[in-house]
Amino acid sequence: MVGVSEQSSAQAPASVRAPAGLPLLSLTLASMMDEVHAHSGAVYLLSPDQPVLEMAVMAGLPRAFAAPWERVGLSVPIPVSDAVRERRLVWVGDQEEMARRYPRIAVVLPYPFSLAALPVATETRAYGAIFVTWPGSHPPVLADWERDHLLAAAGRLAMRLERAAEQSVPVLPEPDLLAAPLVGGMAGTLGSVEAARMVARLPYGLCSLDLHGRVGFANAAASELLDVPVSRLIGAHLWASVPWLNDPVYEDRYRAALFSQHVTSFVALRPPGEWLSFRMYPSTNGLSVRISRARGVAEMNRAAPPPGGAPRRLVSITQVLILAGALTEAVGVQDVVQLVADEIAPAVGSQGLVVMGSRAGRLLVLGHRGYGDTRVIDWHDGMPLSEPTPGSQVLRTGVPAFFEARDEMERLYPALGGHPSEFAAFAYLPLIASGRPVGVCCLSYAAPHHFATEERAVLTSLASLIAQALERALLYDAKHRLAHGLQEALLPHSLPSLDGIEAAARYLPATQGMDIGGDFYDLVPTQGMAAAVIGDVQGHNVTAAGLMGQVRTAVRAYTTVGQAPEEVMRSTNRLLLDLGSDLFASCLYLRLDPARRRAVMSRAGHPPPLLRKPDGRARVLDLAGGPLLGIDATATYPTTEVALSPGSLLVLYTDGLVESPGTDFEDALTELRHRLTELGDRPLDDLADALVRHASGTEERLDDIALLLLRALPED
């Protein structure tokens, strides 16, 4: 939270100067909201020493509404982080779009509102971000004049912050911008005495709430219906002073009214058996609430929660929801570590993180963040669990340990004294899932830190969420290692050297699933000739990989005994049918005769190869073929003979190289042909890397990629 001091304002140019002594962020935010008629917003500043956005000023709504996002990492998928990373305005037009693009926010704030987030940045440096929101009545499209006002205001703020940074001007804290505080507890504060008397005579209850939900006025009827004296209502939160309203469901209605600026209502049971109706009329500075006895409650009471039980506060539920939702997105162990570092550590004020597990009776550091000097990390990694260290102790016992100062920890664990650390306080949290410890999460603090009872409870609860995610991630990583090892065992480790033929191959797994599939290739030397094969068994699992290994072995065996290309395909087809598998396979097989400069090819439902001539022209080969292997026992696979003059290049591939969602296959094949024409003179390994790199540029690959390049060499 900053405000530029008078010095910076005096030295700044007129175009970027804030009034002397006035809070820069608050004024900018208030002016921006006024220009575009927004009803809430906030300014974030980028932390100088870590990629974290910290909320500096909030306006129009209590800061508690945005509690899960007071400190967020730049990699967290929320609008303000996206705006800074991508240096653009992020617009979310309605509740449906929020649920689609930012489900974490939609889960916590399921209200109709629109939001714009934009970076506070110059051409050379980002300083933070701003977001503003409108009620649900705002059109789903941001108007051009609104966009212009927002971008101009953010640009001016960035210039002012840049000037302050250049002059090393100190910054000052600024208060949030909310409605004026309560003005006493008497009915007369509503206005004139006569107006207060009129409201007091009404037969239904009336009260006003500020943006924090505190009661500023209540008439006698409201006091009677709520069965709480006016003196206890004034200045208190409605749900805190009325015990049977102390439920997150009712507080959520208040939040919904403020966010959407729509009239909101609910019914609640006043013990022992009377139902009351509450109707909230929002404005930008609070709510007016009308309270009356409910009518037709039989149609409405399903909206009310059952009485009894200890209710939980919405803010704590909000924080748990957002973090739990984020943890469900973690797949592998490093995903969990990264997510805890990006979202949980900043939320609890921690600057360092170490996640540890165990293997063969020793501590295993699974990941860490924030440690400039990793010697203490290296010392812990591989430490026997029997050694007296906080990590091993917490892992063995399942009991958390909190050290508010480093000397406190060193008194209990003297061995740590010889391993200095830049951190001063530590929280060691056991990660217990399925009734057993799966690891330890150590949160480190740069300065001595007091862990209050409530904070210890929150951290321990968060550890349970982390533990469940870590257990899933450990299992996933174990399966991934198994799959990767199986894939490596089934594919050739190297290609043989052939007379007259230069070869190169590449394989890339899909980015979804277990990173294992049925794509395969092989190059088999035979007497005076060679055979090449590439294929794709349907599926991305261990079954597909196992069947792929059988197909590759069969092709190699049939080639070795001297079968012709069409016979190799027929024999392999019969083998798949005999195995009784429900999976099919595509395959392209060719017999190379370098001496005659010929290649005889047979195809079973596989994408056609490409041939690049020595003059640089490339074309797709139109080969005869048969159906996929494993479908028809009577299928035949005719052959095609192709001339291979010296310098000719054959490109064999699986469909993952050219197919992607939303891309036409013919267009992709044409693009591959153009790349081959342009790049085909490169050394073969460089060409293979270039072709695969282009296809793997997308973050999500739904299919494996196998590539086999064969170039006919000139005679010596």
Side-chain angles (χ1 to χ4, degrees):
M1 296 182 292
V2 300
V4 178
S5 72
E6 184 172 350
Q7 176 187 353
S8 68
S9 298
Q11 295 180 2
S15 61
V16 299
R17 187 162 58 233
L22 294 182
L24 173 60
L25 303 184
S26 301
L27 285 175
T28 300
L29 183 59
S31 174
M32 176 184 290
M33 291 170 56
D34 184 61
E35 287 176 340
V36 298
H37 313 303
H39 83 298
S40 74
V43 178
Y44 285 82
L45 293 180
L46 191 58
S47 173
D49 53 357
Q50 54 185 326
V52 172
L53 288 170
E54 298 175 316
M55 184 181 290
V57 173
M58 187 162 187
L61 290 172
R63 184 175 288 237
F65 278 38
W69 306 287
E70 281 202 76
R71 298 182 79 247
V72 294
L74 277 182
S75 60
V76 177
I78 66 172
V80 289
S81 297
D82 287 353
V84 175
R85 284 199 320 273
E86 300 169 14
R87 296 293 186 94
R88 65 178 180 89
L89 188 149
V90 176
W91 168 251
V92 184
D94 54 29
Q95 189 175 5
E96 181 179 346
E97 186 178 2
M98 182 68 77
R100 184 176 66 254
R101 295 174 55 191
Y102 300 102
R104 300 185 193 179
I105 296 179
V107 166
V108 177
L109 302 174
Y111 317 123
F113 67 97
S114 302
L115 179 145
L118 53 161
V120 177
T122 63
E123 292 184 359
T124 58
R125 179 178 173 184
Y127 292 92
I130 299 177
F131 80 77
V132 292
T133 68
W134 292 262
S137 56
H138 188 283
V141 177
L142 185 66
D144 289 341
W145 69 268
E146 292 173 317
R147 179 182 297 270
D148 292 342
H149 278 301
L150 292 172
L151 292 174
R156 289 193 297 269
L157 177 58
M159 292 173 65
R160 290 167 180 163
L161 292 174
E162 183 175 57
R163 178 55 60 95
E166 289 173 352
Q167 299 175 352
S168 301
V169 174
V171 294
L172 304 173
E174 298 184 26
D176 288 346
L177 301 176
L178 293 173
L182 294 169
V183 190
M186 299 185 63
T189 60
L190 242 175
S192 68
V193 173
E194 185 54 37
R197 289 173 179 170
M198 178 192 71
V199 171
R201 289 193 294 266
L202 292 175
Y204 45 79
L206 285 176
C207 63
S208 66
L209 308 181
D210 68 4
L211 293 178
H212 290 283
R214 297 173 303 199
V215 178
F217 167 83
N219 66 0
S223 173
E224 180 182 352
L225 288 168
L226 297 174
D227 195 24
V228 176
V230 172
S231 59
R232 281 176 46 195
L233 291 171
I234 299 301
H237 292 93
L238 185 61
W239 38 88
S241 55
V242 183
W244 45 273
L245 285 179
N246 190 12
D247 191 287
V249 171
Y250 303 138
E251 188 180 352
D252 179 64
R253 294 295 82 208
Y254 141 78
R255 289 175 175 245
L258 285 183
F259 257 102
S260 66
Q261 292 291 293
H262 291 167
V263 176
T264 306
S265 61
F266 65 89
V267 293
L269 177 64
R270 187 188 76 177
E274 184 171 18
W275 289 89
L276 299 181
S277 172
F278 294 78
R279 193 164 182 83
M280 297 181 170
Y281 300 86
S283 71
T284 56
N285 58 8
L287 296 170
S288 296
V289 185
R290 171 176 167 164
I291 308 169
S292 60
R293 288 179 171 83
R295 300 290 185 266
V297 73
E299 297 299 319
M300 303 169 61
N301 59 13
R302 60 179 175 269
R312 296 173 62 187
R313 305 305 302 149
L314 184 63
V315 171
S316 60
I317 291 177
T318 296
Q319 292 169 329
V320 170
L321 276 173
I322 194 70
L323 295 173
L327 284 166
T328 60
E329 299 176 6
V331 178
V333 170
Q334 292 309 309
D335 294 333
V336 175
V337 174
Q338 188 66 47
L339 195 145
V340 174
D342 288 346
E343 303 205 21
I344 294 181
V348 300
S350 168
Q351 291 78 42
L353 166 74
V354 185
V355 178
M356 294 175 280
S358 64
R359 180 183 297 167
R362 294 178 178 272
L363 278 178
L364 178 66
V365 175
L366 301 175
H368 60 89
R369 298 291 187 277
Y371 279 77
D373 185 350
T374 60
R375 285 179 296 177
V376 66
I377 303 293
D378 298 336
W379 181 73
H380 277 90
D381 196 23
M383 177 73 66
L385 291 179
S386 57
E387 290 293 321
T389 66
S392 58
Q393 176 74 12
V394 170
L395 188 61
R396 288 197 313 270
T397 64
V399 178
F402 299 92
F403 304 98
E404 299 185 349
R406 181 170 176 82
D407 57 358
E408 177 184 339
M409 183 172 64
E410 291 178 355
R411 283 197 301 271
L412 294 173
Y413 301 95
L416 295 176
H419 300 275
S421 170
E422 62 260 52
F423 295 103
F426 305 86
Y428 284 84
L429 309 172
L431 304 179
I432 300 174
S434 303
R436 64 182 184 87
V438 296
V440 175
C441 176
C442 173
L443 296 170
S444 310
Y445 298 78
H449 183 87
H450 173 63
F451 296 98
T453 301
E454 181 180 357
E455 183 178 4
R456 296 184 183 212
V458 169
L459 292 176
T460 304
S461 299
L462 291 177
S464 299
L465 296 176
I466 299 170
Q468 295 174 38
L470 182 61
E471 183 183 42
R472 293 193 304 269
L474 288 168
L475 179 60
Y476 175 86
D477 282 356
K479 290 181 177 179
H480 181 272
R481 287 192 297 271
L482 172 64
H484 190 69
L486 176 60
Q487 188 86 54
E488 286 188 339
L490 294 176
L491 289 173
H493 294 284
S494 61
L495 297 177
S497 297
L498 302 174
D499 292 336
I501 296 292
E502 181 187 9
R506 296 293 185 271
Y507 172 81
L508 259 70
T511 59
Q512 297 184 350
M514 286 185 64
D515 289 359
I516 184 171
D519 288 21
F520 66 96
Y521 62 87
D522 204 356
L523 190 59
V524 185
T526 59
Q527 188 172 5
M529 293 190 291
V533 63
I534 192 164
D536 183 1
V537 176
Q538 173 192 16
H540 296 89
N541 50 41
V542 174
T543 302
L547 189 61
M548 173 266 283
Q550 291 175 298
V551 171
R552 176 175 165 251
T553 301
V555 169
R556 177 175 278 265
Y558 298 139
T559 298
T560 303
V561 298
Q563 288 190 358
E566 61 270 24
E567 283 299 320
V568 171
M569 297 292 272
R570 282 201 295 267
S571 299
T572 307
N573 180 49
R574 288 193 295 269
L575 172 67
L576 255 67
L577 290 166
D578 292 343
L579 290 174
S581 172
D582 293 331
L583 302 180
F584 311 128
S586 71
C587 186
L588 175 64
Y589 180 88
L590 59 149
R591 188 69 55 83
L592 296 165
D593 188 346
R596 295 179 57 238
R597 301 294 181 182
R598 296 285 176 181
V600 179
M601 306 184 186
S602 184
R603 186 164 69 102
H606 198 80
L610 276 73
L611 174 65
R612 185 183 190 272
K613 292 287 190 178
D615 60 6
R617 290 179 300 168
R619 64 186 178 95
V620 179
L621 295 179
D622 184 16
L623 302 181
L628 294 169
L629 302 177
I631 295 180
D632 181 5
T634 64
T636 59
Y637 299 92
T639 59
T640 303
E641 187 171 290
V642 177
L644 287 181
S645 55
S648 296
L649 173 66
L650 275 172
V651 178
L652 284 60
Y653 57 93
T654 56
D655 51 12
L657 185 73
V658 292
E659 288 187 349
S660 60
T663 302
D664 180 77
F665 177 78
E666 294 298 330
D667 292 341
L669 205 56
T670 300
E671 185 181 354
L672 176 60
R673 181 170 59 82
H674 290 327
R675 289 200 306 274
L676 189 60
T677 299
E678 179 184 354
L679 306 175
D681 290 327
R682 293 186 179 186
L684 214 54
D685 281 323
D686 292 348
L687 175 60
D689 290 336
L691 295 178
V692 169
R693 188 184 308 115
H694 181 86
S696 63
T698 177
E699 292 183 3
E700 295 292 336
R701 285 193 310 279
L702 302 181
D703 203 356
D704 305 31
I705 295 174
L707 175 68
L708 180 60
L709 304 180
L710 303 168
R711 176 178 282 157
L713 299 175
E715 295 182 0
D716 295 335

